Amino acid sequence: MEAAWTDFRDIVGKENITVEKSELESHAGSSWSSHPAAPGDVPFCVVKPGNTAEVSAIMKICHERKIPVTAYSGGTSLEGHFAATRGGICVDFSRMDKILQLNAQDLDVVVQPAVGWELLNEELAKSNLFFPPDPGPGAMIGGMVGTGCSGTNAYRYGTMKDWVLSLTVVLADGTVIKTRQRPRKSSAGYDLTRMFVGSEGTLGLVTEATLKVTVKPQHTSVAVCAFNSVRAAADCVFKVVGAGVPIAAIEILDDVQMKCINDAGMTSKTWKNAPTLFFKFAGTPSSVKEQIGQVQTLAKKSGSTSFEFAKSEQEKEDLWQARKEALWSVMAQGQGDDDMSVWTTDVAVPISRLPDIIEETKDEIAKSGLLGSIVGHVGDGNFHSIILYNKKTQHALASHLVHNMVKRAIEMEGTATGEHGVGLVKRDYLPHELGADTVAAMRRLKLAFDPQCLLNCDKIVRVQPPRQGEVEEW
Amino acid sequence: MEAAWTDFRDIVGKENITVEKSELESHAGSSWSSHPAAPGDVPFCVVKPGNTAEVSAIMKICHERKIPVTAYSGGTSLEGHFAATRGGICVDFSRMDKILQLNAQDLDVVVQPAVGWELLNEELAKSNLFFPPDPGPGAMIGGMVGTGCSGTNAYRYGTMKDWVLSLTVVLADGTVIKTRQRPRKSSAGYDLTRMFVGSEGTLGLVTEATLKVTVKPQHTSVAVCAFNSVRAAADCVFKVVGAGVPIAAIEILDDVQMKCINDAGMTSKTWKNAPTLFFKFAGTPSSVKEQIGQVQTLAKKSGSTSFEFAKSEQEKEDLWQARKEALWSVMAQGQGDDDMSVWTTDVAVPISRLPDIIEETKDEIAKSGLLGSIVGHVGDGNFHSIILYNKKTQHALASHLVHNMVKRAIEMEGTATGEHGVGLVKRDYLPHELGADTVAAMRRLKLAFDPQCLLNCDKIVRVQPPRQGEVEEW
């Protein structure tokens, strides 16, 4: 490693390589990750390349010297994605943060991995364009490609998988490939683009992405609607979807979540402590008005106890703000106690099973004595549980709640993760969800592209079997 | 092979295996394929399994005995996808033609590979649902997965890649895997589903597919609008897309194509022999009305010379019918001469380059003396050229026109195929389009899943290099 250090320094310059302890730790985990950082799980050094050629040169060294590599951009992932469980180096993309080329008429944009989606949208807005995937704040394109993220816009616009046209990728041996040129549609060969999206840095390092963008809708609005039960809210969703109302997003927040938002006092209004649906509408001005009317009628039929829709831009912001504050408001409940932490997990099920799994999960959380809220992208059958727990005394309890929620999702023909990805935390659920042969097929793909297992090894699928007792019983 | 025949007979029964010459030929090519069938490129026999277990048993035999396999469902692909260039057997899925399970509330449906998309939509319509990908008539789910097809609905709804939730696949050694359960969204591991979509039967045999479906729009309509030039029509498209009008489809047909439709006399009205845009609108009733008004205004600004929109269901059918008749109307021009054939090819470019490539291609076709029309999914930058040629005397000329069109697309940062796939005909364009290293990565993927090269070998990427002179000069 010492000899490699010299090689890396020659590639990126001394100022772009660090072995400072705090840097190593911040590049291997975060306080909001559900994977408890083990003290040894840090890289040997953090290397900050400035372009694709430097990344390629770094990978050639790592390939020759068999040095493990983790990739780092926004660092907002939740499941231990960038824990350096094998040491090695962390490739930090922070210097590669440019929007390289906006092709407005072609509706695409070429970016480097450390461009944040929020900043990207600020830039795109100047051309009346936007990029729909909206994961957590701070997430960057590199990691968004890695996890195959999504967010509230996925119901209407699809996930990251649908918005990446092409990737420049440095493979495990330093070879640079570009998966496509810039057509919006292609069936020319295997879909390497989508193979890399969601591969969590285990198949290659993304150094450039060509993203689809779209034109901002002519008009948008928001409505918020409370119900007496999660089941009544879900019934409303089925009615709205079934009627073909072309809504842009539907989110559910449960009574616990709404109470946290009220307690936090960060929104301009006070809400009912009840299961609540948040609708986003987009389209031509008159179609938005028509959609709101249709949804209001259907909500009433499902027993809604309130229905408010935005009559101005300000009201629209105010109404959607409660949805945005969900995570912070739960965190706020633990404020003042350094041992309190928040575990955010996500699963997805076929949408008809959503009321069942939410009810069962809420029951179990309530019985556990922990505070846990539910926030869901209900139109996709995808939801998060945000559980507040004491790191020192309640980790096992929180972990067990999460385990049962994931097991429930899998048994309902769902998935261990709808949008957060696998990392270290969800990998042992894959055999239950998909079967051992499917996981073996995934492992075959991994080893075809990274036979030495240098790239974020043992994430997504284990290459080595787990130690006895390491995996929670099914 | 004789010994294998006995094994296959024991698996599927004597009545489901054939060596009849006409069957072998019809399972290796078609008159509308752009790959001229070589007499030797037929399978040894056609085997018709009835379920996944039988397909697995067949593949185990093939794996043991190193027998090449091509898969066959609708047989409508165009680029030599199922030519049996290595002999072996053809697995015909015609007995696996059931819709297994419609989960209406979950908006998904489980089907076997020989279900046609038209039949599927007839069934779904009974539940007010539909499946958007709309390739050529006769196409079936197995082949639609294989080519990663799309069609006129792709602009609004995306391609086949966006509508497959999960696949049951028999791998080269007979192992059966299922890529997912039924959640609408998942980031649990590598996206094997999308790896198989577009893999043209080279990575595994699809025996079951879980497809997303969607609710039919509340209201639809159609408008048709003529222009004096392709460039004016394209300008209109840019204006409509740029204004964020949420149209469902935009198709362009050039003057040659409109003349063929008029000559064929198969539609209820006579059209201008001019470049024409066909718009499909979908949404709530008032939003459709609003969209039509917006498009009419923008079309006028781009110099439209006519604008007709459907005022009834019948008129909607009548207007869209001309689009549907495009291929047949060109074929009709060659009627009565058995040597006349139609070469349908497709490319895609970034949408800003569409007027350039269409104009240059039209010019070259006109100069060649052949009849060739242009039909395009203009909102995706994807278009087809339909060239009428004499198989005996004009094959080289037609081939050269197609070559130049593909080269042009690649040089404009586009792709050799937007939706038809690679097969045999487009495979030597991939190194030009993507670079040798990217093609090598595709080959690595192929060999990871099919190391003996049994599955539709040498399609998409060559495993063996071409013979000298086999590939047209760049």
Side-chain angles (χ1 to χ4, degrees):
Chain A
M1 285 298 304
E2 300 293 335
W5 192 89
T6 316
D7 291 334
F8 297 139
R9 187 203 53 198
D10 291 347
I11 295 165
V12 298
K14 204 181 162 191
E15 65 283 14
N16 294 314
I17 179 165
T18 178
V19 291
E20 204 185 309
K21 190 165 176 274
S22 67
E23 284 266 317
L24 301 184
E25 281 172 358
S26 71
H27 281 77
S30 70
S31 59
W32 54 82
S33 168
S34 57
H35 173 71
D41 291 356
V42 292
F44 166 76
C45 67
V46 176
V47 186
K48 299 179 183 174
N51 54 51
T52 299
E54 289 182 11
V55 178
S56 170
I58 292 166
M59 273 316 305
K60 279 180 183 154
I61 304 292
C62 292
H63 189 249
E64 201 183 295
R65 296 182 182 276
K66 300 198 188 351
I67 299 171
V69 176
T70 52
Y72 183 94
S73 56
T76 59
S77 63
L78 295 165
E79 306 289 10
H81 288 80
F82 54 96
T85 47
R86 296 199 170 198
I89 65 163
C90 174
V91 176
D92 176 329
F93 285 97
S94 54
R95 290 174 63 214
M96 296 174 69
D97 62 350
K98 309 290 178 300
I99 297 174
L100 298 174
Q101 193 185 327
L102 172 60
N103 303 300
Q105 201 169 42
D106 294 327
L107 298 174
D108 69 55
V109 63
V110 185
V111 301
Q112 291 186 313
V115 170
W117 65 274
E118 293 141 303
L119 177 96
L120 177 62
N121 274 318
E122 277 171 36
E123 283 304 308
L124 292 173
K126 296 172 189 167
S127 308
N128 195 36
L129 299 171
F130 89 113
F131 178 68
D134 57 337
M140 292 177 177
I141 297 300
M144 291 163 70
V145 169
T147 53
C149 74
S150 39
T152 67
N153 288 329
Y155 173 72
R156 167 75 160 260
Y157 290 98
T159 74
M160 196 67 182
K161 294 177 189 183
D162 305 305
W163 291 89
V164 183
L165 286 177
S166 168
L167 293 169
T168 300
V169 182
V170 176
L171 300 179
D173 64 358
T175 305
V176 180
I177 64 169
K178 191 173 172 184
T179 58
R180 282 263 172 267
Q181 300 203 85
R182 291 198 297 113
R184 280 180 88 72
K185 223 171 88 175
S186 174
S187 51
Y190 304 119
D191 196 342
L192 297 180
T193 312
R194 276 156 159 143
M195 184 184 88
F196 286 111
V197 177
S199 70
E200 304 186 4
T202 65
L203 302 178
L205 301 179
V206 171
T207 60
E208 209 172 287
T210 304
L211 308 172
K212 278 194 210 182
V213 298
T214 188
V215 175
K216 289 179 98 168
Q218 293 178 7
H219 189 64
T220 61
S221 191
V222 166
V224 178
C225 180
F227 295 84
N228 284 326
S229 69
V230 165
R231 202 161 283 276
D235 180 66
C236 173
V237 173
F238 296 140
K239 283 198 168 71
V240 169
V241 172
V245 189
I247 36 171
I250 336 175
E251 300 282 307
I252 192 168
L253 277 65
D254 77 345
D255 53 330
V256 177
Q257 183 59 65
M258 294 310 292
K259 183 174 182 307
C260 289
I261 289 168
N262 284 329
D263 289 355
M266 286 155 88
T267 62
S268 53
K269 66 181 286 305
T270 306
W271 310 83
K272 292 195 183 192
N273 291 340
T276 302
L277 291 178
F278 287 71
F279 291 93
K280 219 185 240 179
F281 305 94
T284 56
S286 79
S287 80
V288 167
K289 201 174 153 193
E290 192 172 27
Q291 290 172 45
I292 293 174
Q294 292 179 347
V295 168
Q296 185 162 17
T297 306
L298 295 168
K300 198 170 275 177
K301 281 187 187 161
S302 298
S304 63
T305 60
S306 69
F307 188 94
E308 300 177 69
F309 64 93
K311 290 176 201 73
S312 68
E313 279 302 302
Q314 188 54 47
E315 278 189 31
K316 197 178 83 185
E317 288 296 315
D318 288 351
L319 286 178
W320 200 253
Q321 196 195 350
R323 168 64 189 87
K324 280 191 198 151
E325 300 295 342
L327 177 62
W328 318 119
S329 70
V330 179
M331 281 177 151
Q333 299 269 338
Q335 227 162 20
D337 183 343
D338 282 353
D339 290 334
M340 294 308 286
S341 194
V342 150
W343 190 321
T344 310
T345 192
D346 101 294
V347 297
V349 292
I351 44 182
S352 66
R353 301 307 305 274
L354 205 61
D356 298 332
I357 191 170
I358 292 181
E359 281 186 356
E360 289 174 31
T361 303
K362 280 178 67 63
D363 275 359
E364 197 189 1
I365 295 173
K367 280 177 195 149
S368 77
L370 295 187
L371 178 82
S373 73
I374 301 282
V375 182
H377 310 311
V378 65
D380 296 318
N382 177 209
F383 72 101
H384 309 300
S385 172
I386 307 175
I387 301 170
L388 190 70
Y389 71 105
N390 183 303
K391 277 185 281 189
K392 289 195 177 143
T393 60
Q394 296 173 323
H395 184 270
L397 183 57
S399 174
H400 192 64
L401 288 175
V402 170
H403 173 77
N404 285 347
M405 174 169 153
V406 173
K407 186 165 188 270
R408 218 169 270 137
I410 290 173
E411 288 172 351
M412 290 180 184
E413 293 185 80
T415 177
T417 169
E419 58 179 30
H420 291 171
V422 176
L424 292 167
V425 178
K426 298 276 175 84
R427 61 188 169 166
D428 294 310
Y429 292 109
L430 266 53
H432 297 290
E433 179 180 333
L434 305 168
D437 285 334
T438 303
V439 176
M442 290 186 178
R443 193 176 294 112
R444 192 189 294 200
L445 179 65
K446 161 70 178 173
L447 293 174
F449 281 86
D450 183 18
Q452 298 193 92
C453 224
L454 303 176
L455 294 166
N456 216 10
C457 195
D458 285 325
K459 312 291 167 66
I460 300 186
V461 288
R462 289 178 187 265
V463 175
Q464 294 177 327
R467 295 187 306 278
Q468 210 172 3
E470 196 185 349
V471 179
E472 186 157 7
E473 247 177 72
W474 187 240
Chain B
M1 285 298 305
E2 299 295 336
W5 192 89
T6 315
D7 291 334
F8 297 139
R9 186 202 55 198
D10 291 348
I11 295 166
V12 299
K14 203 180 164 192
E15 66 282 15
N16 295 313
I17 181 165
T18 178
V19 290
E20 204 186 306
K21 189 164 178 272
S22 67
E23 285 266 318
L24 300 185
E25 282 172 0
S26 70
H27 282 76
S30 70
S31 59
W32 53 82
S33 168
S34 56
H35 173 71
D41 290 357
V42 291
F44 167 77
C45 67
V46 176
V47 186
K48 299 179 183 174
N51 55 51
T52 300
E54 288 182 11
V55 177
S56 170
I58 291 167
M59 273 317 303
K60 279 179 185 154
I61 303 293
C62 292
H63 188 249
E64 202 184 294
R65 297 183 181 275
K66 301 200 188 354
I67 298 171
V69 177
T70 51
Y72 184 95
S73 55
T76 59
S77 63
L78 295 166
E79 307 289 11
H81 289 79
F82 54 95
T85 47
R86 297 199 169 197
I89 66 164
C90 174
V91 176
D92 174 330
F93 284 98
S94 54
R95 291 174 63 214
M96 296 174 69
D97 61 350
K98 309 289 179 300
I99 298 173
L100 297 175
Q101 193 185 326
L102 172 61
N103 302 300
Q105 201 168 41
D106 295 327
L107 298 174
D108 69 55
V109 64
V110 186
V111 301
Q112 291 185 314
V115 170
W117 65 274
E118 293 141 304
L119 177 96
L120 176 62
N121 273 319
E122 277 173 35
E123 283 304 309
L124 292 173
K126 296 174 190 166
S127 307
N128 195 36
L129 299 171
F130 89 112
F131 178 68
D134 56 339
M140 292 178 176
I141 297 300
M144 292 163 70
V145 169
T147 54
C149 74
S150 38
T152 66
N153 289 328
Y155 173 73
R156 167 76 159 261
Y157 290 98
T159 73
M160 196 68 183
K161 295 177 189 184
D162 305 305
W163 292 89
V164 183
L165 287 176
S166 168
L167 293 169
T168 301
V169 182
V170 176
L171 300 180
D173 64 357
T175 305
V176 180
I177 65 168
K178 192 174 172 184
T179 59
R180 283 264 172 266
Q181 301 201 85
R182 290 196 298 113
R184 279 180 89 72
K185 222 170 89 176
S186 175
S187 52
Y190 304 118
D191 196 341
L192 297 181
T193 311
R194 275 156 159 142
M195 184 184 87
F196 286 111
V197 177
S199 70
E200 304 186 4
T202 65
L203 302 178
L205 301 180
V206 171
T207 60
E208 208 171 288
T210 304
L211 308 173
K212 279 194 209 182
V213 297
T214 189
V215 176
K216 289 179 99 168
Q218 293 176 8
H219 188 66
T220 61
S221 191
V222 166
V224 178
C225 180
F227 294 85
N228 284 327
S229 69
V230 165
R231 203 162 281 276
D235 181 66
C236 173
V237 173
F238 295 139
K239 284 199 169 71
V240 169
V241 172
V245 188
I247 36 172
I250 336 175
E251 299 282 306
I252 192 169
L253 278 63
D254 77 346
D255 52 331
V256 177
Q257 183 60 65
M258 295 310 293
K259 183 173 183 306
C260 289
I261 289 168
N262 284 328
D263 288 354
M266 287 156 90
T267 61
S268 53
K269 68 181 279 331
T270 306
W271 309 83
K272 292 196 185 192
N273 291 341
T276 302
L277 291 178
F278 287 71
F279 291 93
K280 219 186 239 178
F281 304 95
T284 57
S286 79
S287 80
V288 167
K289 201 174 153 195
E290 193 172 26
Q291 290 172 46
I292 293 174
Q294 291 178 349
V295 168
Q296 184 163 17
T297 305
L298 295 168
K300 198 171 276 176
K301 280 188 189 164
S302 298
S304 63
T305 60
S306 69
F307 188 94
E308 300 176 68
F309 64 94
K311 291 176 198 72
S312 67
E313 279 302 301
Q314 188 54 47
E315 279 189 29
K316 197 177 82 187
E317 289 295 316
D318 287 351
L319 286 179
W320 199 253
Q321 196 196 350
R323 169 64 188 87
K324 280 191 198 151
E325 299 296 342
L327 177 61
W328 317 119
S329 71
V330 178
M331 282 176 151
Q333 298 269 340
Q335 227 164 18
D337 184 343
D338 282 355
D339 290 334
M340 294 308 284
S341 193
V342 151
W343 189 321
T344 309
T345 192
D346 102 294
V347 297
V349 293
I351 44 181
S352 66
R353 301 306 306 272
L354 205 60
D356 299 331
I357 191 169
I358 292 181
E359 282 187 354
E360 289 174 30
T361 303
K362 280 177 67 62
D363 275 358
E364 197 188 0
I365 294 173
K367 279 178 197 150
S368 77
L370 295 187
L371 177 82
S373 74
I374 301 282
V375 182
H377 309 313
V378 66
D380 296 318
N382 178 208
F383 72 100
H384 309 301
S385 173
I386 307 175
I387 301 170
L388 190 71
Y389 70 105
N390 183 303
K391 277 186 282 189
K392 289 195 177 145
T393 60
Q394 297 173 321
H395 184 270
L397 183 56
S399 174
H400 192 63
L401 289 176
V402 170
H403 174 77
N404 285 347
M405 172 170 154
V406 173
K407 185 163 188 270
R408 218 169 271 136
I410 290 173
E411 288 173 351
M412 291 181 184
E413 293 185 81
T415 179
T417 169
E419 57 180 31
H420 291 172
V422 178
L424 292 167
V425 178
K426 298 276 176 85
R427 59 189 171 168
D428 295 310
Y429 293 109
L430 266 51
H432 297 291
E433 178 179 336
L434 305 168
D437 285 334
T438 304
V439 176
M442 290 186 178
R443 193 175 293 113
R444 194 189 292 201
L445 180 64
K446 161 70 179 175
L447 292 173
F449 281 86
D450 183 19
Q452 298 192 92
C453 224
L454 303 176
L455 294 165
N456 216 10
C457 196
D458 285 325
K459 312 290 168 70
I460 299 185
V461 288
R462 289 178 187 266
V463 175
Q464 293 176 330
R467 295 187 306 278
Q468 210 172 2
E470 197 185 349
V471 179
E472 187 157 8
E473 246 176 72
W474 186 243

